[in-house]
């Protein structure tokens, strides 16, 4: 069995170490590398068989990955080591969205430290049809999807909308389940966190943190593209307006 490729969760954790170290590599004997190696070997992402491999996320392999981050930075003047596209995308994300990506790394570390991320079972759609997850990491997507699928949270949001006299339709495209499906669709809507959970933190979800979406728009808010993830309803509306414009 071969050692699995690095996932987004692992890359954001390794990359954040390099950023905090001034975009310099870390050596095998560095305490941070030793601690990250132990953490990566415990993440609930890979199979038990993979985690049992002798070289799986060893301190040597973690140190080599930090070298990939350093030498593939655009401002590095020496020869770049060979690395895959996911590492290059993570480097780009750390350069252009440094604060957000460091928050994502901290959210993963806190979720693992508290035990929360170990307890959440894998969720449908946490990995899209191309095998890609959000660049912030599969575990954060898993946590978001698990919360959004909480039936009590969804019901409370629906009740809030009705108390406020607001129509229960998609806040992005306007789709109304009741209008299309009649009694079958009455009272149905999905909910989505407007702000990524690694930014809002682990505080209790407020109803105003949620947006009502149809199933299609909800999927598009979560759908990943290279170097991009987690669309807010307003950014998805902008995407729709842009695609609706006639070509020049």
């Amino acid at each position: 069995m071969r050692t699995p490729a690095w996932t987004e969760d692992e890359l954001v954790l390794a990359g954040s170490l390099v950023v905090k170290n001034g975009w310099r590599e870390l050596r095998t004997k560095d305490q941070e590398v030793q601690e990250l190696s132990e953490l990566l070997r415990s993440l609930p992402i890979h199979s038990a068989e993979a985690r049992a491999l002798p070289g799986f996320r060893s301190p040597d392999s973690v140190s080599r990955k930090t070298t990939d981050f350093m030498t593939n930075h655009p401002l590095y003047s020496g020869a770049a080591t060979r690395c895959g596209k996911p590492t290059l995308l993570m480097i780009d994300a750390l350069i252009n969205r440094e604060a957000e990506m460091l928050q994502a790394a901290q959210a993963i570390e806190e979720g693992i430290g508290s035990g929360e991320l170990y307890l959440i079972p894998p969720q449908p759609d946490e990995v899209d049809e191309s095998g890609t997850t959000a660049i912030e990491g599969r575990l954060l997507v898993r946590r978001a999807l698990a919360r959004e699928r909480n039936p009590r949270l969804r019901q409370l949001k629906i009740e809030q909308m009705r108390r406020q006299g607001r129509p229960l339709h998609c806040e992005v495209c306007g789709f109304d389940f009741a209008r299309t499906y009649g009694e079958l669709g009455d009272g149905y809507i999905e909910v989505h966190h407007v702000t990524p959970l690694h930014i809002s933190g682990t505080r209790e979800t407020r109803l105003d943190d949620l947006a009502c979406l149809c199933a299609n728009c909800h999927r598009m808010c979560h759908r990943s593209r290279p170097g991009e993830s987690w669309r807010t309803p307003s950014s998805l509306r902008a995407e729709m307006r842009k695609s609706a414009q006639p070509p020049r």
Side-chain angles (χ1 to χ4, degrees), residues 20 28 41 66 81 90 94 110 132 134 187-189 209 221 226:
K20 294 173 184 176
T28 299
R41 293 174 69 88
T66 69
T81 56
M90 190 60 70
L94 285 163
E110 291 177 351
T132 302
Y188 183 80
I189 202 74
D209 295 331
C221 278

Side-chain angles (χ1 to χ4, degrees), residues 79-193:
T81 56
R82 293 182 61 182
C83 64
K85 186 175 180 181
T87 300
L88 297 176
L89 289 173
M90 190 60 70
I91 291 171
D92 185 67
L94 285 163
I95 292 171
N96 294 303
R97 298 158 48 198
E98 179 180 311
E100 182 182 348
M101 299 309 295
L102 292 179
Q103 282 180 307
Q106 182 178 352
I108 295 172
E109 291 172 352
E110 291 177 351
I112 292 297
S114 68
E116 177 194 9
L117 293 179
Y118 290 107
L119 301 176
I120 303 172
Q123 298 290 309
D125 303 331
E126 70 179 44
V127 179
D128 69 17
E129 63 275 7
S130 67
T132 302
T133 59
I135 201 165
E136 290 87 353
R138 177 186 304 182
L139 294 177
L140 298 185
V141 172
R142 181 179 297 180
R143 182 172 69 180
L145 291 171
R147 290 197 190 182
E148 290 174 2
R149 287 169 176 147
N150 180 338
R152 174 166 170 74
L153 195 63
R154 188 176 70 83
Q155 188 58 41
L156 288 173
K157 181 64 178 179
I158 290 172
E159 291 172 2
Q160 180 198 53
M161 297 288 284
R162 286 177 166 162
R163 283 198 309 271
Q164 295 174 348
R166 297 164 63 187
L168 196 63
H169 62 215
C170 178
E171 295 180 33
V172 173
C173 72
F175 183 83
D176 187 317
F177 283 89
R179 186 180 304 159
T180 301
Y181 298 109
E183 184 179 349
L184 178 65
D186 185 42
Y188 183 80
I189 202 74
E190 297 186 7
V191 301
H192 175 70
H193 281 87

Side-chain angles (χ1 to χ4, degrees), residues 11-12 16-17 22 33 40 58 74 81 95 130 142 146 173 180 186 199 204 210-211 215:
L11 290 172
V12 72
S16 68
L17 274 190
V33 169
L40 296 182
S58 65
T81 56
I95 292 171
S130 67
R142 181 179 297 180
C173 72
T180 301
D186 185 42
I199 291 179
E204 183 176 350
L210 303 172

